[in-house]
Amino acid sequence: MSSQNYVKIFDTTLRDGEQSPGCSMNLAEKLRVAEQLEALGVDIIEAGFAIASEGDFEAVQAVARQAKRATVASLARAATGDIDRAWAALKDAKNPRIHTFIATSPLHMRVKLEMEPEAVLEKIRASVSHARNLCPDVEWSAEDATRSDPDFLCRAVETAIRAGATTINLPDTVGYATPETYGAMFRDVISRVSNADQAIFSTHCHNDLGLAVANTLAAVAGGARQVESTINGIGERAGNAALEEIAMALRVRHDVMPFDTGVETREITRASRLVSAVTGFQVQPNKAIVGANAFAHESGIHQDGMLKDASTYEIMTPESVGLSESSLVMGKHSGRHAFRQKLEELGYKLGDNEFQDAFKRFKDLADAKKHVYDEDIIALVDDETMRDNQAIQFKELEIYCGSHGPQRAILTLEVDGEEQTVTTRGNGPVDAVFKAMRKIVPHDDAQLTLYEVHAVTEGTDAQATVSVVLAEDGRTVRGTGAHVDTMVASAKAYANALNKLIVKRGRSELPAVARTGN
């Protein structure tokens, strides 16, 4: 493939994606996602914002040490302390990148930075030069580029490249652009900046108007050769450009967009499901590429066409994105060998102890369910592996409910290694369970703002996946749990949220500008 037509995939699920309200990942979860991103074939993994907290630093450092092929990046403001902290976290990476940014729009410079344009240019020169003295690969971003003065933006880009930036990112920070204006901005900057040939230009699009993917593709046509995106399009506000949509658009419409990526598209579904399991953000059924209905056909006309030739209504195959039809091949009589083979088919590589634990849970599930689908196994494994090393562990639950309340819950949790059991009554079984949670782990300031239940598969014996969102002092966290008993899934989800709340409480509070980034 021609290097001129190769588009690098920069994934920021672990950084910008994690800034979604209610989304937070612990270290083990971030490492699992990073491993899957490498399997997916992304070129750059933005592992976090090293100076944001000790937890963020440790996550960036751990991903940097784990990555075998991908470049690992950390975001940093245009400040010496940020850049030094980013480098300290990245220095063990095989391919490190410092990603520093500053705003360039008149509004942001005046209101947020309170700096004159010339001072901003000097800040760019100093910060990029300092980063380049530490790391050979430096990316610079012009925050709010799409609302910046074109002449000043060109001066800023030229300054950054002269100072040593090897990648220039022109983000649509607030989702303001249209495909025509965003593509034109890239063509304009690349043609006007004298040293533009010394850097790769990058996109970073937010989805406030639902145009993030369209804008990204327009920028690629305009000369960008790196795209920043997230799995399932998660991110602040309305989210980011969805990696899977960009990758498949470039693959399916290669006739009009002759660009290549390193994405192994058969890993897309696995990546999507993993991120959903980790974050608790369910993908809507009609989501492109990875939604439950993406390859479903109900209309009689469509079904007739599909039976004759699938290409009548499918422009890509389910197999091309790693989606296989669920098969009823596993049950209570299935042995260890068959279960291990099924796990490998689904993309799991478990150690001996993890496998034995998973097999026991599978047998328990098979006893409870008539049929075990692939989705059941995915939910079973993801749900349990997300809970390693958490301070609060679900142990046991009994529920007494019926038409005559109040309902009663007897809940046992393990908190810091010590089991505690309480009995509570509530207005319904869910209320009783959550009151028991509050009794064992007091958190009076945290409010339950969302409670959702989804069935993993069809049937009355389907596993339930439950999501809960807790809000406390401006922080929001989302917890998830899966089980054939909805109340058990609810308790596990709430415990998961409490563990994430503990993590967020430990994070240092940065100014809004720091948490925003691009």
Side-chain angles (χ1 to χ4, degrees), residues 392 411-415 420-422 435-442:
I392 303 167
L411 174 68
T412 300
L413 299 179
E414 184 180 292
V415 182
Q420 299 184 40
T421 301
V422 298
K435 283 181 176 177
M437 286 282 178
R438 289 183 177 274
K439 192 170 182 179
I440 295 176
V441 185

Side-chain angles (χ1 to χ4, degrees), residues 57 75 133 137 154 171 302 305 312 347 409 431 445 463:
F57 177 88
L75 192 65
N133 286 335
D137 188 354
C154 287
H302 285 211
T312 54
D431 185 49
D445 293 334
Q463 279 193 99

Side-chain angles (χ1 to χ4, degrees), residues 242-254 257 261 263-266 268 289 295 315-317 320-321:
L243 186 154
E244 62 277 2
E245 294 178 23
I246 296 168
M248 292 308 294
L250 291 176
R251 171 174 167 162
V252 172
R253 294 312 313 270
H254 200 265
M257 295 182 289
T261 73
V263 173
E264 172 49 75
T265 62
R266 288 172 295 183
I268 283 176
I289 314 300
F295 296 96
I315 60 174
M316 56 195 145
T317 66
S320 69
V321 297

